[in-house]
Amino acid sequence: MDIRVRHASHAYGGLAVLSDIDLVAPAGKILCLVGPSGCGKSTLLRLMGGLERPTSGAIELVGAPPSGCLNELTFVFQHFALLPWASVEGNVRFVLDHHRLSEAERAEIVADVLARTGLADFAEAWPRQLSGGMRQRVAIARALAVRPAVLLMDEPLSALDSQTREILMEDLVGLWTRAPFTAVYVTHNLAEAVRLGHAVAVMSRRPGRIREIVAIDTPLSERRPDDPELERVQARLWSLLRDEAIDADRELVDG
Amino acid sequence: MTTLATTRRSVLAGIGAASTLPFLPRRARAATPLNLGVLRLTSHAPNYIAYERGYFAEEGFEVELVFFEAAQPMAVAIASGDADFGVTAISGGLVSLAQRGAVKVIGGALAEEPGIPGQVVLASNQAYDSGLTTAAALPGHTFGITTAGSSFHYMLSRVARGEGFDIAQVEMRPLQKVGTIVAALGSGQIDSWAIVPSISNRLLAEGQAKKIADMSQYAPDYQVTTVFTSSAIANDDRARAEAFLRALSRGVNDYNAAFVDKTANAEEQAELAALVGQYVSPDVPAERFLETMTTTSMRINRDLGLSVSSVRDQLDWFKAEGMVPADVTEEMLIDPSFVATF
Amino acid sequence: MVDLSPARQPREADARPVPFRGGGFAPGRNRWAGLVVFVALIAFFEVGTRTGVISSLTMPPPSAVAQTLWRLVETGLLWQNLGPSLYRLAMGSLVGCGAGILVGFAIGLFTLARAGLVPLVSALFPIPKIALLPLFVIWFGIGEGSKVALIAFGTFTPTVVATFGAVDGVDRGLIRMAQSFGVPWLRIVTRVVLPDALAGILSGLRVSLAIGIVLLVAAEMLGARYGIGAYILEAGALYDLERLFAGVVILSVLGLLVSAGIGALERRLLRWRG
Ligand SMILES: Nc1ncnc2c1ncn2[C@@H]1O[C@H](COP(=O)(O)OP(=O)(O)OP(=O)(O)O)[C@@H](O)[C@H]1O
Ligand SMILES: [Mg+2]
């Protein structure tokens, strides 16, 4: 299922945040979204996920969701958003409980996603007992449990240290390779974008618009951290972003 | 604490005391300060009369009236020395303080006397209509008291004794304040009560309750209130206590002559009623207050004589009910050496 | 490469330890200190009253209070008085705290309830509930009704305030998360808002119940033959200090028990906080 943004603009009060965004996240691919801080990436993701309505323009879903899909547009949040009073398993079950599923089906889904994210041994643990990386794994497991049509990931790895981030990137690549999913992936980190994105959309500073979409053809599973081709793409992304980022940095918020 | 109607003399004395100038004129006999505990009740009329007419001043007292809402805090204030003398019913609290050597009863005041208005037993209209027409019918009904060990509680015990029923058959309702009892009786939340005529007459006149008995029928010699002071004064400052009782007795004589025996002329009655009314019921018109005084005033014992037999009966009752320790003696409570006793 | 291991460094003559500046601001636990203060205080009053340094008018000897308490237990008077009080406290705070939590949630969740009820609750909060006692007697009668109502009313407002504060403080991110997974409204309230607000609600209950105990005495001013509050009032009227203090001790113990009960509830329900 594709998700399509058509001429969407958004403003908070008088503050124009997004301007005339036209974008398609194609089915079965990961679209990365990069841009200077405050350019409206998170806002765009919330629009795509139906948590907010665009001031003008439209967001559309194209095609049928995958079979067994329980929640078409599913978020993975930067700060995990785990229920601290529920165990790992409880957190996954929380998003299944209101669906008409038999207990057996539920148990099967939970076991499956915990196994896929390497959490099978931690089902009973409290979130506070887990490291950051493990917590984000729980959030990813929870997102996978509802068999999403599109995963909307807002800087899912930016709260983690760089080693953990590396490991989770490999995990995500593994997950996608075994069962390709559609995702929109917001990040500040260009290395992440070139490792995970089939395409990288570069946004201008606020009010955000799409400056360029860079496609990366190397299959995900073959990308390596020191791949010269990827380094070239990353350098190009940086050159696109650099001036915008410097200007964005000097801007007074609420000026 | 308020002092009303400051006399010219007290103003002068105030200046003298506060001043640092030594050559200001001073009176030959320096007035002794005296804090007198009072309640805003007609039964405290002699206090106001003696105060207003200067009887205390003539005995050399610089009196400050200390107003209380209830008898209990007044007793505690006298024990603590914040007030020197007071007049109140004998309650469990007063006996306890006496047992601790803090206060002494030195005279009698309000008393039941046949032929003179006395306390009455009242029934709420609702209870009366459904059969509570005599005190004998009290069992199974509720009866308002302020607190356990109050004079109301004692009166109920006397009614029970007289009618020959067990006091436990009446359900007592402790309501802390007289005003609350009045409201509860008027609205039928309680069935019965016993109270002094100045209050009962008003309730009866307004149709808020029905009279079912006279207290004097059950306790003809009932010493309702007594004069008391701290043990320190009673023991070590006899002259002061005697002077106080002399002055207060003059107020009592005026009161009895005007409102109880009615030997005084109308002019005197009106003057005294106005003088008392400003403290007791400043919001009631003078004529109405005068009428209340002349129709509902109970006897206050001449020269503040004390019915020791009645006090003994009350004390025995407190002990029997376990409200005060069994080892309290009459001597702890009363110093009978100040006034005539009977 | 520079060798930075301390053992290899020459010891300078003017080397000195880094001064420690990080202590304090972290009161720890000490069960004994409380007990010692308590025992010392009791011993002080016992000796003081026995020797007469403290007048018998101001303080009863603690041992006499203990005896009075023991007699209360022996004669069954304790239960005769504690029973009605516990009933009033339980009913009153059940109604008051229950309604308070519901209203607090309504205020925390609905614009209309917030706009309509917050001013009302703010207006009700500072009313001395004792002042309303006569009114309560007219409304609810002189029996148990007015007593329960007084405690209910007194516990209601602090519970409302604590609850809606707690609901306001719920992590919006978690609510967005639940919404993004299509979790229905009621389930968000019960499974996200309630657990997150629970800590705040429980600490509100701690205050509310303490207020309930305070109001117990006031409630029993009116027409109560039995009850700890009535017992204390009667002791005061009789100037019976032993009984007065015995009653006060019972109230204190009641307060301690309620507080311990809530503590236990917190430990159970908020286990996830570790
Ligand atoms: N709910 C809101 N109300 C008002 N202004 C908002 C709101 N959310 C975001 N903004 C403003 O909109 C702009 C874009 O915010 P957004 O979070 O989408 O940017 P972003 O690209 O995700 O930034 P970052 O890189 O810091 O995550 C910012 O200036 C922000 O202050
Ligand atoms: Mg963002």
Side-chain angles (χ1 to χ4, degrees):
Chain A
M1 197 174 79
D2 292 355
I3 180 164
R4 201 155 65 192
V5 183
R6 287 161 65 97
H7 303 295
S9 299
H10 194 68
Y12 287 113
L15 183 76
V17 175
L18 293 173
S19 161
D20 196 30
I21 303 281
D22 235 5
L23 191 67
V24 178
K29 297 278 191 288
I30 298 178
L31 170 68
C32 285
L33 218 49
V34 298
S37 138
C39 75
K41 304 182 292 294
S42 298
T43 308
L44 180 55
L45 208 62
R46 284 201 297 273
L47 293 181
M48 294 168 98
L51 289 182
E52 280 184 66
R53 267 192 275 263
T55 315
S56 67
I59 320 281
E60 293 168 347
L61 299 173
V62 186
S67 68
C69 170
L70 298 174
N71 190 53
E72 295 181 341
L73 305 167
T74 299
F75 280 88
V76 174
F77 299 90
Q78 178 179 5
H79 294 286
F80 325 136
L82 298 180
L83 302 177
W85 48 85
S87 64
V88 167
E89 179 172 342
N91 267 285
V92 176
R93 278 178 177 272
F94 173 69
V95 299
L96 295 175
D97 279 349
H98 62 284
H99 290 292
R100 283 180 185 283
L101 294 171
S102 69
E103 179 48 36
E105 284 173 302
R106 246 177 228 139
E108 193 198 312
I109 295 175
V110 171
D112 172 52
V113 295
L114 291 187
R116 276 159 73 192
T117 47
L119 288 165
D121 294 337
F122 300 90
E124 298 307 320
W126 300 107
R128 70 176 154 83
Q129 298 172 303
L130 300 178
S131 69
M134 291 300 267
R135 286 183 207 183
Q136 195 57 294
R137 278 197 181 87
V138 177
I140 291 168
R142 178 177 65 186
L144 294 175
V146 294
R147 305 216 177 91
V150 181
L151 269 179
L152 302 169
M153 309 173 92
D154 193 354
E155 308 192 32
L157 306 186
S158 68
L160 307 176
D161 64 84
S162 59
Q163 289 91 331
T164 311
R165 203 180 304 160
E166 194 63 41
I167 292 167
L168 253 85
M169 266 196 277
E170 283 168 17
D171 286 359
L172 282 174
V173 169
L175 281 170
W176 187 88
T177 314
R178 268 176 271 134
F181 51 81
T182 314
V184 181
Y185 188 108
V186 170
T187 181
H188 269 122
N189 185 317
L190 298 182
E192 250 172 77
V194 299
R195 280 286 296 286
L196 295 173
H198 295 100
V200 181
V202 181
M203 291 177 71
S204 69
R205 69 194 169 95
R206 198 181 64 217
R209 50 185 98 231
I210 305 296
R211 270 196 70 171
E212 200 167 320
I213 298 178
V214 178
I216 307 173
D217 297 327
T218 320
L220 289 193
S221 54
E222 290 168 21
R223 299 184 189 179
R224 295 284 168 269
D226 49 359
D227 187 329
E229 167 64 12
L230 292 184
E231 278 179 0
R232 206 181 46 73
V233 178
Q234 192 175 332
R236 174 163 156 61
L237 290 174
W238 175 233
S239 71
L240 282 169
L241 270 176
R242 193 171 182 281
D243 296 340
E244 299 275 354
I246 288 172
D247 286 347
D249 193 40
R250 305 178 76 133
E251 215 162 57
L252 281 179
V253 181
D254 295 328
Chain B
M1 227 191 270
T2 40
T3 315
L4 291 170
T6 320
T7 60
R8 222 186 106 185
R9 258 176 29 186
S10 70
V11 172
L12 280 179
I15 293 170
S19 170
T20 50
L21 301 174
F23 48 81
L24 260 177
R26 283 178 183 243
R27 280 174 299 133
R29 189 176 154 202
T32 333
L34 185 152
N35 292 334
L36 174 57
V38 285
L39 302 176
R40 297 186 187 273
L41 297 173
T42 53
S43 56
H44 283 238
N47 292 313
Y48 300 120
I49 294 171
Y51 176 74
E52 284 289 328
R53 291 198 153 169
Y55 299 158
F56 291 129
E58 280 170 38
E59 290 288 348
F61 291 122
E62 187 78 58
V63 166
E64 174 142 10
L65 297 179
V66 186
F67 292 91
F68 290 92
E69 291 288 329
Q72 168 68 7
M74 180 156 85
V76 176
I78 286 180
S80 69
D82 292 306
D84 299 317
F85 295 93
V87 178
T88 179
I90 294 188
S91 63
L94 188 71
V95 176
S96 284
L97 288 168
Q99 185 224 1
R100 288 161 207 267
V103 299
K104 272 261 172 356
V105 168
I106 57 169
L110 213 62
E112 289 286 345
E113 182 176 309
I116 305 289
Q119 307 194 80
V120 295
V121 184
L122 297 175
S124 73
N125 290 330
Q126 290 90 327
Y128 189 88
D129 292 342
S130 53
L132 183 59
T133 53
T134 63
L138 273 172
H141 287 90
T142 55
F143 184 92
I145 61 173
T146 50
T147 58
S150 62
S151 57
F152 307 102
H153 190 177
Y154 174 70
M155 282 193 273
L156 177 61
S157 80
R158 290 302 295 259
V159 174
R161 204 192 299 171
E163 294 287 352
F165 61 79
D166 182 355
I167 190 171
Q169 290 175 273
V170 180
E171 197 183 326
M172 273 180 293
R173 291 271 190 210
L175 295 170
Q176 316 306 324
K177 286 183 188 165
V178 167
T180 319
I181 304 181
V182 169
L185 188 73
S187 59
Q189 306 250 25
I190 56 170
D191 298 329
S192 57
W193 190 30
I195 186 62
V196 291
S198 55
I199 293 175
S200 67
N201 268 32
R202 182 163 62 76
L203 288 172
L204 293 171
E206 291 171 0
Q208 294 214 49
K210 298 276 193 305
K211 172 176 165 177
I212 57 173
D214 278 305
M215 251 340 274
S216 60
Q217 182 187 338
Y218 304 104
D221 64 337
Y222 182 18
Q223 182 73 65
V224 184
T225 64
T226 58
V227 183
F228 67 106
T229 184
S230 66
S231 302
I233 293 177
N235 297 336
D236 310 329
D237 209 352
R238 281 193 70 89
R240 191 158 167 228
E242 281 164 0
F244 171 79
L245 289 170
R246 266 198 308 278
L248 185 58
S249 292
R250 292 175 67 188
V252 171
N253 288 343
D254 290 358
Y255 164 90
N256 280 334
F259 304 121
V260 184
D261 302 319
K262 307 201 172 71
T263 50
N265 59 26
E267 198 181 323
E268 165 82 350
Q269 283 182 334
E271 187 188 322
L272 287 182
L275 189 154
V276 174
Q278 61 177 317
Y279 294 104
V280 176
S281 304
D283 46 347
V284 172
E287 316 84 67
R288 254 198 49 212
F289 187 71
L290 173 61
E291 197 202 317
T292 306
M293 288 299 291
T294 50
T295 54
T296 67
S297 288
M298 286 177 71
R299 166 74 67 198
I300 293 183
N301 289 342
R302 191 184 140 76
D303 294 333
L304 300 164
L306 177 68
S307 169
V308 174
S309 61
S310 172
V311 174
R312 187 179 303 136
D313 182 76
Q314 297 181 48
L315 181 59
D316 289 344
W317 176 73
F318 283 121
K319 288 201 265 191
E321 288 288 311
M323 283 183 287
V324 301
D327 55 3
V328 189
T329 61
E330 204 173 298
E331 289 70 39
M332 292 177 177
L333 182 59
I334 307 174
D335 185 337
S337 64
F338 288 92
V339 296
T341 57
F342 40 88
Chain C
M1 255 186 124
V2 187
D3 188 347
L4 290 171
S5 72
R8 302 287 179 85
Q9 302 293 312
R11 200 183 158 82
E12 312 280 339
D14 59 352
R16 54 201 172 87
V18 172
F20 174 66
R21 294 172 290 179
F25 298 102
R29 278 174 148 251
N30 186 338
R31 286 175 180 281
W32 298 109
L35 202 67
V36 166
V37 168
F38 208 62
V39 169
L41 213 61
I42 287 183
F44 171 76
F45 284 122
E46 184 71 35
V47 172
T49 46
R50 293 273 167 220
T51 55
V53 175
I54 301 172
S55 149
S56 69
L57 269 178
T58 52
M59 245 318 202
S63 57
V65 175
Q67 271 171 17
T68 308
L69 276 169
W70 178 239
R71 262 201 311 281
L72 271 176
V73 176
E74 269 184 336
T75 53
L77 269 176
L78 180 67
W79 279 113
Q80 197 166 11
N81 285 297
L82 203 53
S85 286
L86 288 180
Y87 168 81
R88 287 162 194 149
L89 186 64
M91 287 303 290
S93 30
L94 205 67
V95 173
C97 297
I101 289 175
L102 287 181
V103 170
F105 262 89
I107 290 176
L109 295 173
F110 306 111
T111 311
L112 205 62
R114 171 168 303 235
L117 293 176
V118 168
L120 183 69
V121 170
S122 312
L124 289 179
F125 208 168
I127 295 177
K129 312 301 179 281
I130 298 168
L132 296 182
L133 202 52
L135 201 61
F136 277 44
V137 171
I138 307 283
W139 288 349
F140 303 104
I142 212 163
E144 293 304 304
S146 55
K147 300 172 184 63
V148 170
L150 182 77
I151 294 174
F153 191 47
T155 51
F156 171 73
T157 35
T159 310
V160 171
V161 172
T163 305
F164 94 70
V167 172
D168 278 355
V170 169
D171 186 346
R172 298 290 126 175
L174 291 181
I175 295 179
R176 290 279 168 277
M177 180 277 290
Q179 287 176 325
S180 77
F181 279 97
V183 178
W185 184 87
L186 191 64
R187 199 173 271 267
I188 295 183
V189 172
T190 56
R191 307 253 327 247
V192 178
V193 179
L194 180 65
D196 207 10
L198 201 58
I201 294 174
L202 282 175
S203 68
L205 281 187
R206 219 180 253 279
V207 176
S208 300
L209 290 178
I211 291 176
I213 294 176
V214 170
L215 286 177
L216 197 56
V217 180
E220 291 178 353
M221 277 171 74
L222 275 192
R225 190 87 182 88
Y226 293 108
I228 298 302
Y231 181 82
I232 290 176
L233 286 166
E234 183 176 320
L238 296 173
Y239 209 81
D240 187 331
L241 293 184
E242 282 87 10
R243 284 200 239 172
L244 184 69
F245 274 79
V248 169
V249 167
I250 294 172
L251 280 192
S252 299
V253 170
L254 199 59
L256 279 175
L257 288 180
V258 164
S259 168
I262 292 193
L265 212 59
E266 277 174 343
R267 276 193 297 282
R268 249 190 84 84
L269 295 177
L270 305 179
R271 230 173 340 152
W272 53 271
R273 293 204 297 198

